[in-house]
């Protein structure tokens, strides 16, 4: 593995490790508290602990309004409530977490493809 790829991979992994607890403290917990007061916290009922921050981040960043006509109407409405409740700073923190998660996934897939093809060129 080339040095530049190792540095890139280490940077993306470090970003994810730092982003996850920050999003948990400053996005997931405050939004959860606000929605529980209004009895609109539907995500906590089905998302288990290690994935809850990722689900809240996804709900804050991705608009799910066009799925409201589907069968899972209450699920989509719960996602929309998270999006409406999130502040711009919470949106940015959520975007940071999702970007680092996607970067990890893409780098891992790239590494697997390179290994399958035959390794790094000399």
């Amino acid at each position: 593995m080339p040095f530049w790829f190792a540095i890139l991979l280490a940077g993306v992994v470090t970003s994810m490790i730092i982003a996850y607890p920050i999003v948990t403290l400053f996005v997931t917990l405050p939004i959860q508290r606000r929605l529980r007061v209004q009895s609109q916290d539907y995500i906590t009922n089905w998302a288990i602990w290690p994935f809850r921050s990722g689900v809240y981040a996804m709900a804050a960043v991705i608009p799910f309004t066009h799925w409201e006509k589907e069968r899972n109407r209450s699920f989509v409405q719960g996602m929309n409530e998270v999006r409406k409740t999130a502040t711009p700073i919470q949106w940015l923190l959520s975007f940071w977490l999702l970007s680092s998660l996607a970067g990890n996934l893409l780098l891992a897939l790239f590494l697997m493809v390179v290994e399958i093809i035959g390794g790094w060129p000399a």
Side-chain angles (χ1 to χ4, degrees):
M1 174 182 336
F3 182 71
W4 63 269
F5 189 80
I7 293 295
L8 182 64
L9 186 63
V12 173
V13 168
T14 304
S15 174
M16 183 193 63
I17 290 170
I18 293 170
Y20 200 87
I22 289 175
V23 167
T24 300
L25 290 174
F26 297 113
V27 177
T28 304
L29 296 176
I31 290 176
Q32 216 174 17
R33 286 185 197 116
R34 277 186 249 149
L35 291 178
R36 280 187 184 163
V37 168
Q38 301 168 356
S39 297
Q40 295 178 335
D41 184 24
Y42 304 111
I43 295 175
T44 304
N45 295 336
W46 63 268
I48 58 176
W49 169 75
F51 304 108
R52 193 172 293 156
S53 291
V55 172
Y56 271 90
M58 184 177 60
V61 172
I62 302 171
F64 287 97
T65 54
H66 61 280
W67 289 350
E68 242 179 312
K69 295 182 173 44
E70 299 289 328
R71 293 186 315 204
N72 299 334
R73 187 178 195 90
S74 63
F75 170 73
V76 173
Q77 287 173 345
M79 298 291 246
N80 289 335
E81 290 301 322
V82 170
R83 187 170 171 84
K84 290 176 191 174
T85 306
T87 64
I89 297 295
Q90 289 173 329
W91 188 91
L92 284 172
L93 290 173
S94 299
F95 186 74
W96 175 30
L97 177 63
L98 291 178
S99 298
S100 60
L101 288 171
N104 277 319
L105 177 67
L106 290 174
L107 289 176
L109 289 174
F110 179 74
L111 188 60
M112 287 188 329
V113 167
V114 166
E115 291 300 321
I116 289 171
I117 291 174
W120 296 95

